Amino acid sequence: VQLVDSGGDLVQPGGSLRLSCAASGLTFSPYYMTWIRQAPGKGLEWVSMLDSDTSATYYSDSVKGRFTISSTNDKNTLYLQMNDLKSEDTALYYCAIRRRGAFGWWGQGTQVTVSS
């Protein structure tokens, strides 16, 4: 499995950004496609996930209503649309695959900085 994250950038508060994760080698099922972030000096924070079988989506309280997770039908690309960005959203964002309770595969991360 390979995951390549992209789309991070510097954006002003209130702005929007869309992250992408190109996935390959996902020959098994089921799994959850997830976004996880790490703010400077802090631990990992789960942000959102999408069920590969049902396409059900889940969000942390900190991003609910502002972020939207989605994917292409073939699940080869995962997206995170981020709206109304706040300074506390500044972090390194990772795409990861969760299977059988473990985050076994990670992208390299893409930096999102929210600042005026």
Side-chain angles (χ1 to χ4, degrees):
V1 175
Q2 285 195 320
L3 304 172
V4 180
D5 307 325
S6 63
D9 206 345
L10 171 63
V11 62
Q12 292 188 342
S16 297
L17 208 55
R18 188 175 82 160
L19 305 183
S20 299
C21 171
S24 61
L26 290 168
T27 59
F28 47 81
S29 169
Y31 54 89
Y32 290 98
M33 305 182 82
T34 70
W35 287 102
I36 295 168
R37 67 186 181 185
Q38 185 168 30
K42 296 191 176 181
L44 295 170
E45 178 190 11
W46 172 81
V47 174
S48 181
M49 69 181 181
L50 183 148
D51 185 311
S52 67
D53 276 3
T54 68
S55 295
T57 58
Y58 307 87
Y59 300 92
S60 67
D61 288 343
S62 61
V63 306
K64 195 174 297 182
R66 299 188 299 121
F67 290 11
T68 302
I69 191 171
S70 63
S71 76
T72 52
N73 288 338
D74 57 11
K75 302 298 188 293
N76 282 345
T77 305
L78 180 70
Y79 301 105
L80 186 67
Q81 177 66 42
M82 305 185 295
N83 298 330
D84 189 24
L85 283 161
K86 307 178 181 186
S87 57
E88 51 263 42
D89 295 316
T90 294
L92 187 60
Y93 284 71
Y94 297 95
C95 168
I97 299 297
R98 177 186 155 190
R99 175 170 165 82
R100 295 176 179 169
F103 294 96
W105 300 272
W106 294 72
Q108 83 285 3
T110 185
Q111 179 67 41
V112 172
T113 302
V114 184
S115 175
S116 55

